[in-house]
Amino acid sequence: MANSNNNRIITEAINNYNRYRKPEAVAELISFKDNKSIIKFSGHFRHTCCVNDYFDDFVVECNNKVKIKEIKEKKEFYLVEFSPIDK
Amino acid sequence: MELKKINEFTWQIDKQDSMKVPTIIYASEKLLEKIKQDKTLEQAKNVACLKGIQKASYAMPDAHQGYGFSIGGVAAFDMDEGIISPGGVGYDINCGVRLLRTDLKADDALSKRKQFLDEIHKEVPAGVGKGGITKVTKDVLMEVLSKGAKWAVEQGYGTADDLQKTEEYGNMKADTNAVSERALQRGIPQLGTLGAGNHFLEMQKVDQIFDKEIAKSFGIDEAGQIMVMIHCGSRGLGHQVASDYIKKMEDKYGTQGLPDRELINAPISSELGQKYYNAMCAAVNFAFVNRQMITHWTRDVFKKVFGSSEGMNQVYDVCHNLAKFEKHEIDGQKKEVCVHRKGATRSFGPGRVEVPEVYRNIGQPVIIPGSMGTASYLMVGTKKAEEISFGSTAHGAGRVMSRHEAIRNYRGEQVKKDLETKGIIVKGPWKGLAEETWQAYKDIDEVVKTSHKLGIGNLVARLVPLAVMKG
């Protein structure tokens, strides 16, 4: 997937994700480099069951064109790294 | 926000502004102080503003902040004038708990606990990104969503007795066409998985019996008896159903007039309301199948480790997150309403047709799981609950510390050591162990004591963990 195309997918996914989940879960682009994006997830979803399903939701918002590479829990949020799926 | 004390365990926010009914909080003073620390009260008050709400908006003793509705929130809506809200059900639709009894005694089980955990870890897929070991096609998944636990039993994953002892008998009538392709695709690889987060499979022993007669009816003969508790839900499929219908309901009905946009809803009687209900029922069925398959593998492991799974019968399976059409007495009349229970357990007393025949003279078993390292409780449903909480009680201890705080304050290795000191062995990711450490939950003893004293669930037995597999 080309860099610019992936960036566009991530940006649109963040908009859609936030539209239907904010303030329960809020996605924010932290960095986009070498086709890998790091998204910050904050909100009180962190205190509910099945936290990882919220990150899977983001994958779905990207039309399953990305995959989760790494999940890091920080003080008040999660940092999740996504990379494109090579077809 | 003025909170009026009604009695030792009941607090009320009177009807005001756009509230259609009052808000009632069932909690001891100690629990109330914890409830006040987040937006639980505000959320319960917001729910009281929704169309068609009946009697009151309720918060159970373990309530805490959720999406739209608080977790531990209960509300019933008129079938014609009322609404149905995905936020009132939650994302993990039919997250629930199943309890199995065994003939095994703790003395016979202790030396083989580690082997049990190792084997169960091999058999039951759990943790982040772990797919199911049973591969299903889309057609088979549709059958699962339609038949619920009955499908699992037909495939050899259980018995007819299991179905009898499952809420809704393991199946809610669903139109599977209401489930999106995305939800199906998320469900296919996750059938029969425990998942990650606060889900678990636990070997427990009966620590204390409060009501010998009822305990006996529930299959508990004596202290020291080994039990198994399974806690999981509908995974990504349920999550996707919630996401899909929140979007659809917003597109169709908007958020104007709502006290909180997370309370997006549709009239129950509308086409969209009915579609959500059907998709939710399909997700409920998926979760029933998950717990049924895990039950089957647990029995297999018991046979392998302890030589037999004879007598390993299901006590009951209860749901925590769903909306159901039930008849309740309102203003002296029996009336069908749509009861939302989000992080709450049904607690029906004797006589209800929904309670399996074998328990109908007693009331339904109510299973209240603790967190790792804490006790869990078996209770019995009551008529009082039907009168004052639409037949509902608490669902578990509730979280008082954020996941991060739990991780920061309690290192997984230390948690494991502490639990081992208490005689509990665990298997799971270190981080997961810290997330679910018992200090992160409200005092479950206080929660069940409050339920019992209020009479919305009576104590039957206390169960303590011996071996825990964390998702």
Side-chain angles (χ1 to χ4, degrees):
Chain A
M1 199 191 305
N3 234 347
S4 60
N5 191 28
N6 190 27
N7 197 359
R8 185 181 54 78
I9 288 168
I10 294 288
T11 306
E12 282 177 13
I14 288 173
N15 289 339
N16 285 330
Y17 188 92
N18 289 340
R19 185 176 171 205
Y20 293 106
R21 291 165 189 85
K22 194 176 174 182
E24 164 85 21
V26 185
E28 187 187 333
L29 182 64
I30 297 298
S31 70
F32 185 83
K33 198 179 171 189
D34 299 333
N35 243 350
K36 286 177 188 164
S37 42
I38 294 176
I39 311 288
K40 173 182 165 184
F41 289 91
S42 56
H44 63 259
F45 81 97
R46 297 175 297 116
H47 309 304
T48 64
C49 286
C50 290
V51 164
N52 291 78
D53 286 324
Y54 284 86
F55 309 142
D56 286 343
D57 269 359
F58 190 81
V59 173
V60 174
E61 292 292 356
C62 293
N63 290 316
N64 295 308
K65 288 179 178 164
V66 298
K67 62 184 174 188
I68 296 169
K69 287 284 284 184
E70 193 179 16
I71 300 169
K72 283 184 188 166
E73 187 169 9
K74 299 291 179 183
K75 190 176 176 183
E76 294 295 334
F77 53 85
Y78 284 87
L79 289 178
V80 184
E81 184 182 324
F82 296 89
S83 66
I85 291 175
D86 299 320
K87 298 273 179 184
Chain B
M1 195 179 310
E2 198 186 334
L3 205 56
K4 203 162 73 184
K5 185 172 184 175
I6 306 297
N7 61 42
E8 194 183 353
F9 299 107
T10 308
W11 311 80
Q12 181 167 312
I13 301 168
D14 284 337
K15 192 176 148 183
Q16 55 192 270
D17 306 324
S18 55
M19 287 168 76
K20 294 178 171 55
V21 291
T23 293
I24 293 175
I25 298 101
Y26 293 127
S28 62
E29 290 209 14
K30 188 177 167 188
L31 291 172
L32 187 68
E33 283 313 305
K34 289 175 179 171
I35 285 172
K36 282 178 179 173
Q37 288 169 13
D38 60 25
K39 290 186 174 172
T40 304
L41 295 179
E42 190 182 319
Q43 290 190 324
K45 195 180 159 196
N46 288 341
V47 170
C49 303
L50 296 175
K51 277 183 192 165
I53 188 165
Q54 304 288 296
K55 287 170 87 169
S57 159
Y58 299 95
M60 297 296 112
D62 53 348
H64 56 116
Q65 187 178 349
Y67 174 79
F69 282 56
S70 67
I71 294 159
V74 174
F77 297 89
D78 181 271
M79 295 294 287
D80 298 318
E81 306 293 324
I83 56 93
I84 187 164
S85 172
V89 171
Y91 278 83
D92 191 5
I93 296 166
N94 190 10
C95 174
V97 190
R98 178 173 289 213
L99 183 66
L100 309 173
R101 70 165 306 280
T102 77
D103 286 336
L104 207 63
K105 303 291 173 278
D107 290 346
D108 305 321
L110 287 174
S111 62
K112 290 187 174 176
R113 279 184 302 169
K114 191 178 176 307
Q115 193 190 344
F116 169 78
L117 272 190
D118 289 343
E119 292 296 332
I120 211 85
H121 206 254
K122 281 184 218 160
E123 292 294 324
V124 179
V128 178
K130 289 279 172 65
I133 50 178
T134 305
K135 304 295 173 207
V136 293
T137 62
K138 188 173 153 186
D139 286 346
V140 171
L141 182 65
M142 293 300 258
E143 217 181 323
V144 165
L145 300 184
S146 173
K147 290 184 172 177
K150 191 177 165 206
W151 174 87
V153 170
E154 282 173 2
Q155 304 302 311
Y157 291 108
T159 67
D161 185 63
D162 295 342
L163 296 182
Q164 278 301 307
K165 293 173 181 168
T166 301
E167 190 167 326
E168 296 294 322
Y169 303 97
N171 176 237
M172 286 182 77
K173 195 170 181 298
D175 176 359
T176 54
N177 293 317
V179 181
S180 72
E181 183 63 28
R182 276 184 172 176
L184 296 174
Q185 292 308 320
R186 285 178 77 169
I188 285 172
Q190 293 184 336
L191 189 68
T193 60
L194 195 66
N198 63 4
H199 293 159
F200 64 79
L201 189 154
E202 191 167 273
M203 179 197 278
Q204 306 170 332
K205 73 168 181 179
V206 176
D207 175 60
Q208 197 178 351
I209 298 175
F210 303 99
D211 188 320
K212 276 187 180 172
E213 205 176 315
I214 293 180
K216 183 109 183 136
S217 302
F218 289 168
I220 293 178
D221 305 312
E222 58 185 320
Q225 188 174 337
I226 294 292
M227 312 289 282
V228 174
M229 189 174 278
I230 298 162
H231 178 201
C232 69
S234 56
R235 307 283 333 268
L237 185 140
H239 207 89
Q240 190 62 41
V241 165
S243 302
D244 289 340
Y245 280 91
I246 287 169
K247 287 181 187 181
K248 286 180 182 179
M249 287 180 187
E250 189 187 32
D251 288 347
K252 176 91 176 166
Y253 295 103
T255 57
Q256 208 173 8
L258 290 177
D260 178 356
R261 65 178 299 281
E262 293 177 12
L263 292 169
I264 290 164
N265 62 71
I268 299 165
S269 54
S270 68
E271 190 186 345
L272 189 54
Q274 288 296 307
K275 274 192 170 177
Y276 168 67
Y277 176 76
N278 273 285
M280 182 209 70
C281 288
V284 165
N285 290 338
F286 184 87
F288 280 141
V289 172
N290 264 353
R291 295 199 285 276
Q292 189 62 55
M293 292 172 84
I294 292 169
T295 298
H296 173 76
W297 293 321
T298 306
R299 284 173 174 149
D300 279 353
V301 167
F302 249 71
K303 208 179 286 180
K304 190 172 177 183
V305 175
F306 299 109
S308 171
S309 62
E310 199 72 18
M312 200 170 178
N313 300 326
Q314 188 161 310
V315 176
Y316 206 48
D317 178 302
V318 296
C319 314
H320 288 160
N321 291 351
L322 80 173
K324 291 207 284 194
F325 303 151
E326 294 171 355
K327 282 188 179 161
H328 289 274
E329 197 167 306
I330 297 165
D331 299 330
Q333 302 281 322
K334 280 271 179 204
K335 181 176 175 179
E336 189 175 45
V337 287
C338 180
V339 182
H340 291 59
R341 291 190 187 93
K342 180 183 182 180
T345 314
R346 196 186 70 181
S347 180
F348 282 173
R352 296 276 310 212
V353 290
E354 295 94 332
V355 178
E357 220 174 317
V358 63
Y359 300 139
R360 204 165 291 160
N361 292 332
I362 309 162
Q364 71 161 88
V366 174
I367 306 158
I368 310 285
S371 58
M372 273 194 330
T374 66
S376 294
Y377 285 85
L378 180 60
M379 305 181 87
V380 63
T382 64
K383 280 285 162 206
K384 180 81 181 287
E386 291 174 37
E387 287 161 20
I388 70 167
S389 61
F390 286 108
S392 313
T393 191
H395 84 304
R399 185 177 289 274
V400 286
M401 185 187 291
S402 78
R403 283 172 192 274
H404 176 79
E405 281 172 320
I407 290 166
R408 187 178 50 196
N409 293 332
Y410 305 102
R411 290 181 64 221
E413 294 91 331
Q414 189 56 48
V415 171
K416 187 169 181 272
K417 274 184 195 161
D418 289 350
L419 290 170
E420 281 171 355
T421 308
K422 293 173 77 178
I424 304 162
I425 63 166
V426 291
K427 197 169 182 83
W430 293 121
K431 194 169 145 231
L433 292 182
E435 279 179 352
E436 299 309 321
T437 180
W438 69 93
Q439 288 95 334
Y441 284 83
K442 283 180 189 162
D443 181 351
I444 191 163
D445 299 304
E446 184 75 7
V447 167
V448 295
K449 187 182 85 182
T450 301
S451 287
H452 182 80
K453 289 198 169 173
L454 261 166
I456 58 173
N458 289 340
L459 285 163
V460 176
R462 184 175 193 264
L463 314 167
V464 293
L466 294 176
V468 190
M469 183 176 90
K470 265 285 296 124

